[in-house]
Amino acid sequence: MKIGTKAIHAGVHPDESTGAIMTPIYQTSTYVQESVGNHKGYEYSRTQNPTRHALEKSIAALENGDHGACFGSGLAAIDCLIKMLNPGDEVISTNDLYGGSYRIFKTIFEKYGIVFHFVDMLNPNNVSQKINSKTKMIWIETPSNPMMNIIDIEEMVSIAKGKDIMVCVDNTFATPYLQNPLDLGADVIMHSVTKYLGGHSDVVMGALVTSNNDIAEEMYRIQNSSGAVTAPMDSFLVLRGIKTLHIRIQRHCENGEKIANFLKSNSNVDKVYWPGFESHTNHEVAKKQMRGFGGMISFTLKGNKIEDALEIVSRVKLFSLAESLGGVESLIGHPATMTHASIPKELREESGVVDSLIRLSVGIEDAEDLIEDLAQALSE
Ligand SMILES: Cc1ncc(COP(=O)(O)O)c(C=O)c1O
């Protein structure tokens, strides 16, 4: 099946007892057994739930993977993944990443003896140099949040080859519509489902997908043992959101391109970060591994003043000032004080998250209205 057909049909079947075309919300904690151990495949909803199960199959199919697991948030999905490691194991992570991912690595898992190295992965040598016998994971976010850095997934896979290193990709920004890291050799994909997969800013959820049976076994064991599962109602909402994933992302990409070009021509804007520009670092890699460039854009202001950035994010009328991204409505944010405030200033600035950086999650409204809004906000 092609991705649009998968978005609508993968993982879901008409309800066997009623024929309901939409997967019912199985709002139940437990399942009656006819006799001890004699049940219909479901015992307790932390372990299995039919609505969640349909969603897990749908997301796995979208990513061309065999096994999917859904969690209470994207960070809960990351939590599951890092719990597969042991004290002393080392992780090499991209240095430009979602602030919450950085926070869970540094403030939760470091104290359990897991060592994290944050490197600029635009230069693959930085990764090779950090690899040793304790390296067990390479953590890639591409496009990265918020600098839109494009990391060559195949290159990272080739560096890890034969070394017992799990290559994990946070595919939140690209979505399976634009990029399928498992097809490029990655071992695990992580999603903040909260974003484009849900698509309607009404759910917080995470997911992992893999085709590796050993990793899958660990994933389900930790999902059940730690218990950070997602709810049936939320699973239903995301199943519904996914049905329009392909249409939404097409429009996000179209609007993204128009707005990126508008920003580039605005006299108050300094740099515009959008992977669709030929001048964007690793644009050729983006063309190779992605099917479009998405609706996430970051830009800086001439003079690089925090006051100017804060003024602009408060002047917009159609864009909403909010954390998060990937919904149908356009959002604007100031990473240094919002999503990336948990990263120390020095490290943040080293990766490009300077004081005037503004991040846009371009929605699927009419691009002309969005441009008009940005134009008035940027005018002096
Ligand atoms: C790229 C990326 N990864 C992970 C997360 C964490 O996901 P959640 O907020 O669903 O826990 C986010 C949230 O903003 C994100 O942008």
Side-chain angles (χ1 to χ4, degrees):
M1 281 193 268
K2 299 248 181 336
I3 189 146
T5 314
K6 274 199 229 172
I8 293 165
H9 294 288
V12 297
H13 305 282
D15 180 46
E16 276 179 21
S17 56
T18 62
I21 193 158
M22 290 305 299
T23 307
I25 304 164
Y26 284 91
Q27 194 71 44
T28 186
S29 59
T30 193
Y31 308 82
V32 177
Q33 308 192 5
E34 274 179 33
S35 55
V36 175
N38 183 7
H39 52 74
K40 298 183 167 68
Y42 295 93
E43 293 153 279
Y44 186 60
S45 275
R46 173 166 30 75
T47 322
Q48 320 101 341
N49 176 277
T51 320
R52 190 180 89 215
H53 197 202
L55 176 63
E56 290 173 338
K57 283 198 283 185
S58 166
I59 295 178
L62 286 170
E63 286 290 13
N64 300 330
D66 292 340
H67 314 280
C70 287
F71 299 84
S73 69
L75 285 176
I78 296 176
D79 181 82
C80 169
L81 205 46
I82 306 297
K83 282 177 179 162
M84 293 183 197
L85 304 179
N86 293 307
D89 286 352
E90 297 191 9
V91 177
I92 304 173
S93 164
T94 168
N95 67 344
D96 175 42
L97 76 170
Y98 169 58
S101 308
Y102 176 84
R103 184 177 53 209
I104 191 172
F105 292 165
K106 289 294 285 181
T107 70
I108 304 291
F109 285 108
E110 218 169 55
K111 72 174 182 216
Y112 294 107
I114 296 167
V115 177
F116 295 88
H117 302 284
F118 297 92
V119 304
D120 176 0
M121 290 194 180
L122 290 175
N123 180 356
N125 288 337
N126 293 338
V127 178
S128 311
Q129 278 164 13
K130 281 274 179 255
I131 288 186
N132 62 51
S133 59
K134 293 180 184 154
T135 311
K136 294 291 171 228
M137 183 182 285
I138 294 180
W139 181 264
I140 304 168
E141 203 181 285
T142 182
S144 65
N145 181 359
M147 298 311 297
M148 311 299 148
N149 282 325
I150 300 295
I151 293 151
D152 191 331
I153 298 173
E154 280 179 316
E155 177 90 46
M156 292 301 139
V157 167
S158 74
I159 291 174
K161 209 176 167 75
K163 296 195 182 78
D164 189 26
I165 297 174
M166 240 195 287
V167 177
C168 305
V169 179
D170 182 336
N171 207 27
T172 301
F173 270 34
T175 83
Y177 183 76
L178 297 180
Q179 176 173 280
N180 297 118
L182 294 186
D183 293 350
L184 302 170
D187 300 296
V188 186
I189 291 170
M190 176 265 153
H191 276 285
S192 171
V193 175
T194 316
K195 311 293 164 22
Y196 289 103
L197 288 177
H200 295 77
S201 308
D202 49 11
V203 165
V204 172
M205 190 190 293
L208 297 178
V209 179
T210 184
S211 290
N212 179 309
N213 293 340
D214 295 336
I215 295 175
E217 201 176 303
E218 273 297 89
M219 173 175 84
Y220 292 124
R221 187 182 67 78
I222 297 168
Q223 183 193 39
N224 185 42
S225 304
S226 288
V229 292
T230 192
M233 176 71 192
D234 288 2
S235 301
F236 171 84
L237 286 170
V238 175
L239 277 168
R240 179 177 159 134
I242 282 177
K243 289 191 190 295
T244 54
L245 178 73
H246 49 310
I247 309 288
R248 286 187 284 109
I249 303 294
Q250 278 164 21
R251 178 64 91 92
H252 284 295
C253 288
E254 284 165 23
N255 283 359
E257 181 169 4
K258 288 180 188 160
I259 287 173
N261 280 309
F262 159 75
L263 290 170
K264 209 175 183 185
S265 66
N266 188 283
S267 57
N268 289 325
V269 170
D270 188 9
K271 296 196 180 86
V272 183
Y273 300 95
W274 182 67
F277 287 137
E278 273 179 28
S279 55
H280 191 83
T281 309
N282 273 358
H283 169 71
E284 288 306 317
V285 178
K287 267 184 19 195
K288 180 184 74 168
Q289 67 189 20
M290 299 174 73
R291 290 180 282 270
F293 305 110
M296 293 301 300
I297 304 169
S298 292
F299 63 98
T300 58
L301 301 172
K302 293 216 172 110
N304 190 32
K305 290 207 193 87
I306 196 162
E307 314 81 84
D308 290 348
L310 295 177
E311 176 77 30
I312 284 164
V313 299
S314 65
R315 263 199 234 142
V316 285
K317 297 191 172 80
L318 202 48
F319 278 82
S320 300
L321 174 61
E323 305 232 352
S324 203
L325 59 110
V328 291
E329 61 285 299
S330 293
L331 301 182
I332 193 165
H334 181 245
T337 55
M338 295 167 77
T339 45
H340 290 64
S342 53
I343 302 182
K345 187 174 163 73
E346 208 177 293
L347 194 67
R348 177 160 54 71
E349 295 205 331
E350 224 171 78
S351 69
V353 185
V354 295
D355 281 350
S356 75
L357 189 84
I358 292 174
R359 190 190 76 182
L360 301 178
S361 169
V362 177
I364 63 170
E365 301 95 334
D366 285 300
E368 293 69 22
D369 291 330
L370 296 174
I371 288 173
E372 200 177 300
D373 190 28
L374 289 172
Q376 66 79 22
L378 282 161
S379 65
E380 278 163 300

